[in-house]
């Protein structure tokens, strides 16, 4: 009897006119939006490959100390982080396309205007203020917003892929910029990354959509929901979410661990690895190529971390990642030299796999703990990441000026990573995970 009913239903469905049947696209639009987001993050991340390459050229040309240059980089990193939570709220208010297109234009303006600077305060305005505000508006909170709106299933995997976009930008632009600086000077390299940001703007404007309901779709793996009305009072909401989250213990543990993450990656490796290698008589182009190789394995490690986050306890994953990172940093001063030896290659591969593998489990814990506010909470956690990066970008340069060596900075970073591993294990599980955390 049941088979007869099902057969009749199929016959009735075949008799329906084609236009009456619900249309199911072969490839869900969410994947196109994710692809545009990936390219956008690459374009915005182009500038992030530059500062570490320019510390020595700017020091030679203008006589600025490494501490001064590091201060400009630290302003960029701090604003990158502090802008992120407000950017997430602004995307709720004005839409993703408007915010991201404006941010890309701001990055391009700062990078290109830097060609005409003659004083260190201009470096801080162009590279610190303009680029920091622009890149902050396309920070990982952007990826979190896209993931939360367009995906229910495969969130961990998509987070890993979008996080890897920054490493992809590093892979593309580090060797290119190193070659340009070596052959033509630092100014053409700065213009190149500025133009890279501008090229992405049309893709964002034409292909990005703010919400699945804009094209009549449900999120990938979810059910259809109406697009919410624009959220007014973006800044007020962002601050309120911060105060609410700050009353909880997991927020401070997540912020603390992520600050150490930023200190040991963007603040240390991305900013000071190239001049550190140059101190040890390694050519700049070779050091930049090693950073690019880190980017290759970062892509693999981050996507794999997203896959693991969908399946295992995010707290334990974080503890393992930070512990392994700390061990690798302790060994780096013993491995560096004028030539690239097998132990150094092992460090680059190992560190690359761990570079931002911390992002998918950190975002998953934010989602578990804070539900609908998780993108903004993650923005504040990211702010701590960038503050940690800013502190080490500045203090690393000061340590090199005062001590004549970077060694103590690597040892201190290794000890901080050990602390982050312990902090990760004491993050409590949410008593009742919000529905948004599923998938």
């Amino acid at each position: 009897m049941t088979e007869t009913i099902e057969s009749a239903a199929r016959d009735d469905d075949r008799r329906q006119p084609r236009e009456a049947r619900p249309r199911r696209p072969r490839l869900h639009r969410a994947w196109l939006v994710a692809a545009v987001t990936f390219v956008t993050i690459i374009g915005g991340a182009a500038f992030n490959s530059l500062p570490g390459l320019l510390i020595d050229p700017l020091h030679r040309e203008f006589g600025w100390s490494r501490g001064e240059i590091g201060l400009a980089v630290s302003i960029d990193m701090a604003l990158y982080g502090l802008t992120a939570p407000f950017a997430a709220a602004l995307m709720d208010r004005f839409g993703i396309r408007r915010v991201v297109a404006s941010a890309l234009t701001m990055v391009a303006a700062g990078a290109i205007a830097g060609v005409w600077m003659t004083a260190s305060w201009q470096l801080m305005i162009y590279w610190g203020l303009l680029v920091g505000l622009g890149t902050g508006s396309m920070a990982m909170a952007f990826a979190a917003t896209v993931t939360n709106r367009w995906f229910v299933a495969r969130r961990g995997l998509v987070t890993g892929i979008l996080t890897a976009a920054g490493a992809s930008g590093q892979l593309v632009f580090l060797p290119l910029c190193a070659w340009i600086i070596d052959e033509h000077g630092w100014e053409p390299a700065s213009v190149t990354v500025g133009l890279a940001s501008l090229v992405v703007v049309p893709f964002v404007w034409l292909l990005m959509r703010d919400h699945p309901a804009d094209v009549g779709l449900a999120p990938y793996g979810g059910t259809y929901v109406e697009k919410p009305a624009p959220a007014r009072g973006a800044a007020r909401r962002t601050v309120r979410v911060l105060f609410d989250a700050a009353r909880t213990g997991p927020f401070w543990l997540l912020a603390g661990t992520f600050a150490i993450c930023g200190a040991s990656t963007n603040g240390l490796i991305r900013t000071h690895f190239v001049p550190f290698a140059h101190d040890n008589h390694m050519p700049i182009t070779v050091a930049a190529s090693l950073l690019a190789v880190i980017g290759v394995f970062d892509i693999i490690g981050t996507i794999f971390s997203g896959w693991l986050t969908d399946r295992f306890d995010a707290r334990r994953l974080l503890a393992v990642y930070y512990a392994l990172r700390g061990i690798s940093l302790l060994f780096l001063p013993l491995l560096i030299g004028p030539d690239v030896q097998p132990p150094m290659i092992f460090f680059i591969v190992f560190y690359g796999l761990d570079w931002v593998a911390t992002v998918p489990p950190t975002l998953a814990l934010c989602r578990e703990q804070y539900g609908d506010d998780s993108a903004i909470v993650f923005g504040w956690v990211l702010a701590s990441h960038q503050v940690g990066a800013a502190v080490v970008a500045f203090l690393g340069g000061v340590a090199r000026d005062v001590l004549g060596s970077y060694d103590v900075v690597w040892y201190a970073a290794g000890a901080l990573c050990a602390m982050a591993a312990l902090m990760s294990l004491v993050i409590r599980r949410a008593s009742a995970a919000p529905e948004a955390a599923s998938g």
Side-chain angles (χ1 to χ4, degrees), residues 294-313:
I294 286 180
V296 174
F297 288 95
D298 180 17
I299 296 170
I300 298 170
T302 307
I303 295 174
F304 184 54
S305 177
W307 184 86
L308 290 174
T309 301
D310 286 332
R311 290 160 174 79
F312 298 102
D313 187 339

Side-chain angles (χ1 to χ4, degrees), residues 8 31 59 74 132 166 187 221 223 230 250 259 285 293 327 330 341 367 391 402 421 439:
W31 295 108
H59 175 68
S74 71
E187 293 94 338
T223 56
T285 51
V293 174
I327 293 170
L330 292 175
Q341 301 296 328
R367 208 179 279 130
V391 170
V402 173

Side-chain angles (χ1 to χ4, degrees), residues 38 160-161 163-175 270 288-304 348-356:
F38 188 91
I161 293 172
T163 303
S168 301
Q170 176 176 296
L171 170 63
V172 172
F173 287 100
L174 262 170
R270 179 169 284 166
S289 297
L290 290 177
L291 274 184
V293 174
I294 286 180
V296 174
F297 288 95
D298 180 17
I299 296 170
I300 298 170
T302 307
I303 295 174
F304 184 54
I348 293 297
V349 172
F350 186 85
Y351 196 85
L353 291 172
D354 191 66
W355 178 272
V356 285

Side-chain angles (χ1 to χ4, degrees), residues 46-274:
F47 184 87
N48 292 333
S49 65
L50 200 57
L53 300 176
L54 296 187
I55 289 179
D56 286 335
L58 293 178
H59 175 68
R60 288 194 302 268
E61 180 168 338
F62 297 105
W64 301 334
S65 71
R66 291 176 177 82
E68 283 181 291
I69 301 169
L71 179 59
V73 177
S74 71
I75 292 172
D76 164 39
M77 290 182 175
L79 285 176
Y80 175 104
L82 294 172
T83 302
F86 292 95
L90 286 172
M91 288 175 193
D92 287 343
R93 174 67 180 88
F94 297 106
I96 295 173
R97 287 195 301 173
R98 293 179 182 177
V99 173
V100 173
S102 300
L104 287 165
T105 305
M106 196 176 298
V107 172
I112 295 172
V115 171
W116 293 283
M117 63 187 174
T118 56
S120 60
W121 66 265
Q122 294 169 330
L123 178 71
M124 294 172 193
I125 294 294
Y126 299 147
W127 286 16
L129 182 63
L130 287 178
V131 174
L133 291 174
T135 54
S137 298
M138 296 177 296
M140 291 179 230
F142 168 41
T145 300
V146 170
T147 304
N148 286 352
R149 290 186 186 183
W150 282 89
F151 291 87
V152 173
R154 302 292 185 268
R155 278 180 172 171
L157 177 62
V158 174
T159 300
I161 293 172
L162 295 182
T163 303
S168 301
Q170 176 176 296
L171 170 63
V172 172
F173 287 100
L174 262 170
L176 175 62
C177 289
W179 177 83
I180 292 173
I181 292 168
D182 196 46
E183 295 291 327
H184 305 287
W186 67 268
E187 293 94 338
S190 189
V191 172
T192 298
V193 298
L195 293 178
S197 296
L198 281 181
V199 165
V200 183
V201 173
F203 290 94
V204 172
W205 198 256
L206 295 175
L207 300 176
M208 178 65 72
R209 292 296 180 268
D210 294 327
H211 195 277
D214 289 341
V215 288
L217 293 175
Y220 180 80
T223 56
Y224 181 85
V225 292
E226 292 291 340
K227 181 179 180 179
R232 299 185 180 276
R236 185 167 56 251
R237 180 190 173 200
T238 301
V239 175
R240 176 186 57 78
V241 169
L242 170 63
F243 280 109
D244 290 345
R247 296 190 183 100
T248 66
F251 173 80
W252 292 106
L253 291 168
L254 289 168
T257 55
F258 224 41
I260 293 172
C261 178
S264 57
T265 53
N266 291 354
L268 187 57
I269 295 289
R270 179 169 284 166
T271 305
H272 294 293
F273 177 79
V274 171

